[in-house]
Amino acid sequence: MSSYYFTIIGTRDNPLYELEFSSFKAPASLIPGESHFTAKVKELLPFIANSSLDLVEDSQWLTPNFNLGRIDSFGGIWVNAFVTQGNVKFILCYDNPNSNNSLDNGISSGGSTKYDESSMKHFFNDAYDLYVKALLNPFYGANDPLVSPDFDYKIKIVAKKYL
Amino acid sequence: MSDKIINPSVPTLGSLTINDSSTSGFGYNPSVGPSSNAITKETSSALLNKRAVLTPTSSNSIYDRSLSTKKSQGISVSSLAFLFCEIVSWARRLSNSILDLENRLNGLGYLIGQKYLELVKLREGMKYGKRENKILEILQFIHGPLWRAIFGRTANDLEKSQDVDDEYMIIDNTPLISKFISIPKDYGNLNCSAFVAGMIEGALDLSGFHAHVVAHSSPIEGLPQRTVFLIKFDPLLFTRENIHFS
């Protein structure tokens, strides 16, 4: 089962929110939704997400799309990104099941796209909706960390719905 | 000690030890590694049963309401005028110069501009789904949809400065918030639309177009309240635009 790492990065490259989960469809373990990244990959995920920021910032000025699609990959981890009008980046890292955990055995493979790009797009759109709702809260300012438990719960609901 | 864990956006590392744990459930402690916000047994079952009471407002939180409106619900001009009147007198009480007063009004507008930018874009994005990434387009967006969402109509004009390359002007003939404001003579060239200038600046800054916006009164025959919002962009933006679009 594929695992996901979702993070929201603010305009000053500061992390606002992060979540690790796996697909809820056909759960592989006793706990549905628990991520299956190995300890080694877990350690690297924030770095993979942040290292893709350069690519995000490059393409955000080239295309007028919100959803930038797959922009980066590193050792079997693929990275999709989404940029809001207010320059907030949503980054989703996920393991590519075809690569057979290549970060551990050192092989990186292109592989075919088994992932449904459109479900990720829907996930990003709904996350954007939730982010704007959080932003409109007078107690939240742009670039503050998103620590509301309700926001967290809603993001998880959206993750469960689409991924 | 546990309060010193690095939450997202906290710049200082503090003095973290391996015994510190994150209060929010995620963050990065260099002596432990990432403690990500992961799905646990409890959250997993809460998600599957769709039942979670996290805060007193969980059942009907701000996240449950819809952002899209078929028609924007206006508020009465008099209540807005009273509110703005109070904002101006509050800012005047605290400030010690005209410039200070203008800066305060600008700062208050800045926050509103940031929030409205994302809100208006999201509402519009449902139809078109396009991000503004050029100077002219973002200006047209502010002049058009953003102005309409806030003031109920588009601004009167959008002009490029003839003398200076990096200056643009948004012109409003009858600015709504200064409708009932008359500036005393000894207040010099104070313009309370500094608040709106702040909104423009906030919206531009957040979308990555760093600019400085000032409101100037420029009355003409029949339009005594006419206001020009002078937008001066960071010259580096034009370099960026040249690299990407030529």
Side-chain angles (χ1 to χ4, degrees):
Chain A
M1 254 352 274
S2 47
S3 301
Y4 297 87
Y5 171 77
F6 172 63
T7 181
I8 301 180
I9 309 269
T11 55
R12 296 187 212 111
D13 292 353
N14 49 334
L16 306 182
Y17 175 81
E18 59 176 359
L19 172 66
E20 241 181 82
F21 60 99
S22 75
S23 179
F24 281 83
K25 285 154 197 156
S29 73
L30 287 172
I31 304 169
E34 191 192 31
S35 73
H36 301 292
F37 290 119
T38 58
K40 198 177 163 188
V41 176
K42 252 185 190 165
E43 184 82 10
L44 280 173
L45 283 169
F47 296 96
I48 296 173
N50 280 280
S51 69
S52 70
L53 285 179
D54 275 344
L55 295 163
V56 173
E57 278 172 10
D58 218 24
S59 56
Q60 88 175 91
W61 300 111
L62 291 172
T63 144
N65 297 332
F66 286 96
N67 187 17
L68 301 177
R70 188 159 79 85
I71 49 150
D72 197 9
S73 67
F74 179 84
I77 304 288
W78 287 5
V79 182
N80 274 38
F82 179 97
V83 187
T84 74
Q85 179 63 51
N87 250 329
V88 173
K89 290 117 192 156
F90 295 176
I91 296 189
L92 187 69
C93 306
Y94 49 101
D95 54 358
N96 169 12
N98 307 323
S99 72
N100 198 15
N101 240 341
S102 52
L103 199 62
D104 287 331
N105 51 36
I107 311 154
S108 123
S109 79
S112 63
T113 315
K114 187 193 159 216
Y115 285 91
D116 194 359
E117 288 272 336
S118 78
S119 64
M120 281 185 202
K121 198 179 157 197
H122 284 125
F123 171 74
F124 279 140
N125 281 341
D126 278 27
Y128 185 24
D129 196 83
L130 289 173
Y131 168 74
V132 173
K133 284 175 188 169
L135 182 70
L136 291 177
N137 186 350
F139 293 98
Y140 179 83
N143 280 330
D144 288 351
L146 290 152
V147 290
S148 155
D150 282 332
F151 176 82
D152 181 50
Y153 178 68
K154 290 287 171 189
I155 286 278
K156 284 172 184 163
I157 293 264
V158 173
K160 176 170 170 279
K161 188 170 165 194
Y162 292 114
L163 298 173
Chain B
M1 252 344 231
S2 59
D3 286 342
K4 289 201 174 163
I5 192 86
I6 305 173
N7 278 320
S9 297
V10 176
T12 53
L13 290 177
S15 43
L16 291 167
T17 68
I18 201 151
N19 295 319
D20 290 321
S21 60
S22 166
T23 46
S24 62
F26 53 103
Y28 191 90
N29 181 346
S31 48
V32 185
S35 46
S36 187
N37 174 26
I39 294 208
T40 60
K41 202 170 174 184
E42 290 83 44
T43 51
S44 176
S45 65
L47 282 170
L48 290 176
N49 301 325
K50 291 204 171 177
R51 218 179 21 236
V53 181
L54 305 153
T55 60
T57 53
S58 271
S59 54
N60 186 18
S61 68
I62 49 170
Y63 304 106
D64 291 313
R65 313 214 181 121
S66 171
L67 282 177
S68 56
T69 47
K70 286 182 197 89
K71 196 168 168 284
S72 76
Q73 294 134 346
I75 59 160
S76 82
V77 177
S78 45
S79 60
L80 178 74
F82 274 123
L83 177 65
F84 191 65
C85 164
E86 203 49 46
I87 288 174
V88 172
S89 68
W90 173 79
R92 191 180 68 94
R93 239 186 352 261
L94 291 175
S95 50
N96 45 26
S97 69
I98 307 262
L99 188 69
D100 191 15
L101 173 55
E102 277 198 327
N103 281 344
R104 271 175 205 279
L105 290 175
N106 190 297
L108 287 171
Y110 194 88
L111 303 172
I112 293 178
Q114 288 186 327
K115 297 185 178 203
Y116 251 92
L117 172 83
E118 292 272 32
L119 177 64
V120 174
K121 197 67 216 173
L122 183 81
R123 282 184 180 160
E124 190 197 47
M126 288 167 183
K127 273 183 279 173
Y128 310 108
K130 189 174 146 294
R131 203 160 41 79
E132 317 294 344
N133 58 355
K134 294 182 190 141
I135 290 173
L136 258 183
E137 285 173 0
I138 187 83
L139 284 173
Q140 276 161 356
F141 174 72
I142 288 171
H143 165 266
L146 190 71
W147 217 268
R148 203 178 307 120
I150 299 174
F151 301 113
R153 58 177 173 80
T154 60
N156 292 81
D157 220 342
L158 172 65
E159 285 176 15
K160 189 180 188 312
S161 167
Q162 285 174 345
D163 316 319
V164 197
D165 266 353
D166 54 0
E167 286 184 355
Y168 288 83
M169 290 171 284
I170 290 179
I171 297 161
D172 199 331
N173 286 342
T174 49
L176 187 67
I177 56 164
S178 20
K179 196 172 178 183
F180 302 110
I181 294 175
S182 118
I183 310 281
K185 272 220 171 69
D186 52 340
Y187 274 71
N189 51 7
L190 169 73
N191 189 329
C192 290
S193 292
F195 186 78
V196 180
M199 292 197 314
I200 301 174
E201 193 169 332
L204 284 172
D205 271 3
L206 199 65
S207 18
F209 299 92
H210 298 286
H212 190 64
V213 186
V214 194
H216 291 291
S217 312
S218 76
I220 53 167
E221 187 70 41
L223 296 167
Q225 296 275 19
R226 184 168 176 270
T227 301
V228 173
F229 298 98
L230 188 69
I231 303 163
K232 188 166 177 59
F233 283 106
D234 188 331
L236 285 175
L237 293 182
F238 294 90
T239 319
R240 180 177 78 195
E241 198 121 304
N242 281 336
I243 292 171
H244 286 142
F245 299 113
S246 66

